[in-house]
Amino acid sequence: YSGVLDVKGWGTIQRLPQTSLELWLKADSLDLANGAAVTTWKDSSGNGKDFTQGTVSSQPDFVASDSDYNNKPLIHFDGDDALSTSFSADLNPNNFTVFVVSTVDSDDGNYHGIIDTTNGNTGWLLYARMSGSTNYWQWRTGTGSGQTIISAGNDTVVPNTPSIVTLKMAGSDGAGGGTTTQTLYVNGASAATSSAVFTKKTATSATPILGDVGSFELTGQMAEVIIYSSALSDTDRQSVEG
């Protein structure tokens, strides 16, 4: 007889809302030895948007288990590493919800680039801003003529302690119009909002990059990246964060 099986707490079965899911990068999908170079981070969404790096010196390392990540895997970027994928309109939509599990190695006073999808003043990027005393997550979105800066509170970035950072863009037409609500969440709590307009990236020559934003490179860890091409409901957002 069929019935309902409660798997809460097992930790081995993962379920994500499937509608508008465009990208799912998870470190525990990689079949690599501890310390091995990551040449390809495969997309587990089924959409084939793998992130790669062909230059040996710029390949991050696979860490098979880390106690700060519940003894699960992560990818370590050493400050000179990056992974990228080809331009896709699906990863550059008008509205989106992005989830990132990441942190930095130390409070070194620098900006650490987590994700860059920008081209000039279009698209968006995510930094971990370390200044010694006011360490916070910062999300920047293009308006077409400038950038909107959305910052979480002080001490929202803690070295070697991963955060679940969520970026939600709603109400935008992707071309600097619409009634826009931009929300930055840290570990499920709303950290900052903005009503600024948003202009998405359309330049196919500019590829999405992990671990490098301009000259600001990540010295730190990343375990998961999920992108939806829609503004998820709070119920679905909380489901993914959970």
Side-chain angles (χ1 to χ4, degrees):
Y1 297 91
S2 64
V4 176
L5 177 64
D6 184 356
V7 298
K8 290 188 297 235
W10 284 16
T12 56
I13 297 179
Q14 295 172 295
R15 296 287 184 264
L16 289 181
Q18 294 300 300
T19 302
S20 77
L21 175 62
E22 303 295 348
L23 178 73
W24 188 10
L25 304 177
K26 50 179 182 171
D28 61 2
S29 71
L30 296 172
D31 184 17
L32 294 172
N34 185 55
V38 178
T39 60
T40 300
W41 198 353
K42 285 196 167 294
D43 176 14
S44 294
S45 74
N47 294 319
K49 298 179 177 71
D50 301 344
F51 277 68
T52 63
Q53 177 57 258
T55 302
V56 172
S57 61
S58 298
Q59 293 167 350
D61 296 328
F62 179 71
V63 177
S65 177
D66 189 300
S67 60
D68 294 323
Y69 289 73
N70 294 325
N71 298 312
K72 294 188 176 183
L74 60 87
I75 292 176
H76 185 262
F77 295 76
D78 67 6
D80 192 29
D81 298 332
L83 296 167
S84 64
T85 193
S86 300
F87 174 86
S88 167
D90 295 333
L91 297 181
N92 296 274
N94 298 350
N95 297 285
F96 52 84
T97 312
V98 177
F99 303 85
V100 183
V101 179
S102 184
T103 193
V104 301
D105 286 349
S106 64
D107 184 359
D108 57 6
N110 294 323
Y111 280 93
H112 290 258
I114 308 298
I115 302 179
D116 185 8
T117 76
T118 60
N119 180 59
N121 288 317
T122 66
W124 58 271
L125 59 83
L126 177 66
Y127 286 124
R129 173 69 172 97
M130 310 303 291
S131 69
S133 59
T134 56
N135 304 322
Y136 50 84
W137 295 102
Q138 186 176 94
W139 181 27
R140 297 192 182 193
T141 62
T143 66
S145 59
Q147 286 189 344
T148 301
I149 299 176
I150 307 169
S151 299
N154 292 344
D155 301 320
T156 48
V157 181
V158 179
N160 294 303
T161 300
S163 295
I164 303 171
V165 182
T166 307
L167 319 173
K168 182 176 175 179
M169 177 72 67
S172 171
D173 67 1
T179 303
T180 305
T181 302
Q182 304 183 37
T183 311
L184 168 62
Y185 303 85
V186 179
N187 295 329
S190 176
T193 62
S194 172
S195 59
V197 297
F198 171 65
T199 301
K200 68 181 180 181
K201 180 181 72 175
T202 58
T204 59
S205 60
T207 61
I209 299 173
L210 302 179
D212 186 3
V213 176
S215 60
F216 300 107
E217 298 178 291
L218 173 61
T219 303
Q221 310 124 40
M222 196 178 303
E224 196 158 18
V225 179
I226 303 171
I227 296 180
Y228 287 86
S229 57
S230 67
L232 293 185
S233 67
D234 284 343
T235 298
D236 282 345
R237 173 182 60 81
Q238 291 164 355
S239 174
V240 177
E241 289 166 341

